[in-house]
Amino acid sequence: MVLMLVLTMALTSGVAFTELDNDYENWYPHKSTAWGHYTFQKQAFGKYNRTELYLVEDTVSVNGVLTKSVLEGALALHNEIAEQDSYSDLCVKYVVDGPCVDSVSILALWNYDASVLSAQTQAQILQTVNDAANANLIILDAVLGGLERDSNNDIVSAIALQVIMSLHVMDGKDDELMAFEKDVFMAKCNEAVAQHSSSYNMYCNSFRSYSDESDRAIEADQSLMMFAMLIMIAYVAFVLKRKDMVESKMLLGLLIVVNVGLSLGVAFGICGFLGLPFTQMSMMCIFIIMGVGIDDMFILTDAFDREPPSLPSSERVANALAEVGGSITLTSVTDFLAFSIGSTIDLPAVSYFCVTAALAVMSVFLIQITFFAACLAIDARRILNNRYDLLPCFVRKQMEDWGQRENAEHNSSNSKPLPMASSVVDKTPLSPINVFADFIVRPVVSKVAIFLFLVLGAGMSYQGFSSIEKGIKITDFLPAGSYVGIFYEKRDLYFGEIDTMEFITTATIDPSSADDRAKLSTTFTNVENLSFTVGTPNCWFNAWQAFDTSLSASTSESDAQASFDNFMATDEAKTKYANNMVFNDDGKIVTSKCNSLFLFATMDVEKAVDEMYQAREATISGGGEDFAFAFNQNWLWMERYITIDTLTVNTLMGALVGVFVVCVLFLDVTSALLVCVCVVLINVNIIGLMSLWDVRLNVASLVILILSVGFSVDYSAHVAEGYLSARTKGLKAKEAVQVSVREMGVSVLNGGISTLLAVVILSASKSEGFVVLFKMFLGMVTFGLLHGIVLLPAMLLVSGQASEACGTGGAVVKAED
């Protein structure tokens, strides 16, 4: 115990080198096309800007948000924010020390000047909006929602308007940006919301709002998860409690907290030494390792209790490890393998989690068979020395008569050698698990059970693979009723997602070359002709063409170069486009960035994916694959969406193959195959349940499916190992199944129930992410127990009896041997 504690403390010291990393970039596939484009853009032009938005809604006024008082209220909020000194320091500027770039808003029509707006009548306000719309001076889809026109096609009303303000992300300014968003933008916006609530609605959303609200959900759920784990610990203590407080083993059960703490310390410490970061997802390891640790603890403790108390405690521990050590090792290795395969997934957040979980699984296994096994021996000596459970410093001086008789009978019965063959079945005391063991070995019952489980598996497989939905809702990780969720709902209702698509040239461009100019012209014509782009691309090339309308394919190289130089000398080029162009020493453009507004299909992911491919094809057809590429930040998670089904199948198949190989090393081929059949059926049932219970296939559910592979083996392998152990003692298939169900079934059931109780607590979460965790864990535990305790024994019985009938099975070793 001392050596194990010293070793775990040494490994845990690596936590000092661990860094917290909750960067959203960890959730994107780093081998995808979009990630390559993202990193190229960031290296060439720096980080993306942060956007601050507020939305105004008026469903009552005749003119909606185009009512003068509503516009004045929206403008007052904008100016109150923009007049802050901190905004001037952080806003997006074309040139250093220049003015802030105008916000995207209908308010720009009055130059954000309250006096100009105040001087207009209601009719003049509508005229200003219509004149700007007719002259294409504003992009209506980006600034107004719920438009209503009269018979002359003039705008007379709009239900909503939105204001988009941009902040520049600069190195060393992160704290200032976060403080501005909280203390200025959100504070001022919330004041305006309260002030105008009786007249119209306002909704606010800063760049940090989503992470703030998701963190709030996580904090609330962390306390819920801690309560769930306390429920697991309480259940363990309840199961190990006895009326006789000397015979009781609650203190031993509470050691699971120590085991889990030590194993997590080792896992996090090793990750620290390896340089792997700690993420919020890593906290999920606590819940997982608690379940694994409790399951192994029940298996080991029950095996220890089956040993005669008259034996020395060290020998009882040795015999218990000999009996169940193989199954504990098998389940630990398969869990480790499943997580190891999961660590190869091209999503750093998932990979980090799987590595941590794999290390934690092996750590808790090693601690169980060393530290906890030693505690078993010490606890046995405590009972022998007549010391109280929970208060081992106190000794009971004189035992009650009933206690002496009970212990004497217990010691006498357990000191006898194990009965042979069928006597193991016949003389076992009656209990619910024994009744079930007798019931499941009935020929008709076992065959009907196999048939029903296979039909259920086929049905759930068809349901899952034919109708399960992919992707994730942006509100899944927000607390219920969050203002961010309400904002997204309103924005989707009135505006959809107006976003910016970037077009970045990667080939060296010579402005004097007619071929290069032709490629640029074709590319941006293709982009403008896309059905989902809005307006003309904002690009230095288009501005250059507008500056010099005489440019053509026949323009000489010298004239073209002179024209370009003249354009770049203009104030417009210096302020708007110079920062989006990178030149080499020869004056050629190494890379440049242009952009176009487009309507992003937030509510139809399949359509959004198709539009991503169209945009990429438009740029490729203009100048070739090495000339330019189209990019939008949303495409990072869309790439994940595209590959999630293939990723799921490949990961699960790899894990299943690995599980089978490991099972063959510990079991015979037939039992290994049957265990793998159970694992497959459990997982297809979970996928079917996901489809029926509105759980989408995404990164979060994929992680739980990886968990289910390992957990499924836990529920089945112990029963298979118990069956084979009974067979080696000379028992027939029927009796071996009964013994296995009786001895291992209760331990597996207790482990499953402890997890099930904790999972039910998670159903109270107000975060969709934890509700999904509840649904999938509920399915995993329920299907795992049913397949491990019902289907597997039935298949082992039928398989064993078939082997006996063919003369290839039967007792492997005579009981008397």
Side-chain angles (χ1 to χ4, degrees), residues 417-679:
L418 287 173
M420 306 300 174
S422 61
S423 61
V424 172
V425 176
D426 298 337
K427 296 184 179 181
T428 305
L430 190 66
S431 70
I433 193 68
N434 295 334
V435 172
F436 174 75
D438 294 337
F439 177 75
I440 196 64
V441 295
R442 295 179 182 178
V444 175
V445 172
S446 59
K447 291 174 183 176
V448 169
I450 294 172
F451 173 76
L452 291 178
F453 272 88
L454 291 177
V455 170
L456 174 66
M460 294 294 271
S461 176
Y462 174 78
Q463 171 66 31
F465 290 105
S466 64
S467 59
I468 192 169
E469 295 185 14
K470 297 189 297 181
I472 192 168
K473 297 176 183 176
I474 197 168
T475 56
D476 281 355
F477 296 99
L478 296 173
S482 169
Y483 73 89
V484 177
I486 297 173
F487 174 87
Y488 284 134
E489 179 183 340
K490 293 295 183 179
R491 192 179 186 198
D492 285 342
L493 175 63
Y494 296 119
F495 298 98
E497 181 75 25
I498 299 291
D499 210 339
T500 301
M501 187 188 306
E502 296 178 330
F503 304 92
I504 299 175
T505 60
T506 54
T508 300
I509 296 173
D510 183 355
S512 66
S513 169
D515 288 341
D516 287 353
R517 295 199 304 275
K519 290 179 180 179
L520 287 169
S521 179
T522 302
T523 298
F524 293 118
T525 298
N526 291 345
V527 169
E528 190 172 353
N529 289 336
L530 291 171
S531 61
F532 47 89
T533 54
V534 180
T536 302
N538 179 25
C539 183
W540 61 269
F541 181 71
N542 291 340
W544 177 25
Q545 287 185 313
F547 171 78
D548 186 354
T549 57
S550 65
L551 275 174
S552 67
S554 60
T555 302
S556 67
E557 291 187 1
S558 58
D559 288 344
Q561 185 64 53
S563 174
F564 180 74
D565 292 340
N566 291 334
F567 166 71
M568 292 303 299
T570 63
D571 290 338
E572 180 185 19
K574 289 178 181 179
T575 57
K576 290 188 177 182
Y577 304 111
N579 291 335
N580 292 336
M581 305 168 73
V582 178
F583 294 88
N584 61 17
D585 295 336
D586 296 330
K588 295 182 174 59
I589 303 171
V590 177
T591 182
S592 64
K593 179 170 67 172
C594 303
N595 60 71
S596 174
L597 292 178
F598 80 113
L599 300 174
F600 179 60
T602 54
M603 308 305 290
D604 187 344
V605 184
E606 295 292 344
K607 180 180 179 182
V609 169
D610 181 60
E611 290 175 351
M612 176 182 71
Y613 287 137
Q614 289 185 49
R616 288 177 175 173
E617 180 60 31
T619 55
I620 292 174
S621 62
E625 292 187 2
D626 298 328
F627 182 74
F629 63 81
F631 177 74
N632 174 263
Q633 276 190 294
N634 289 301
W635 295 353
L636 287 165
W637 67 261
M638 286 167 58
E639 291 263 19
R640 189 177 68 200
Y641 172 89
I642 295 168
T643 60
I644 191 66
D645 46 1
T646 304
L647 194 63
T648 300
V649 172
N650 292 343
T651 303
L652 292 182
M653 289 301 297
L656 287 170
V657 170
V659 163
F660 174 72
V661 172
V662 174
C663 286
V664 169
L665 297 177
F666 288 86
L667 309 171
D668 63 355
V669 175
T670 301
S671 299
L673 280 172
L674 295 180
V675 168
C676 286
V677 168
C678 286
V679 173

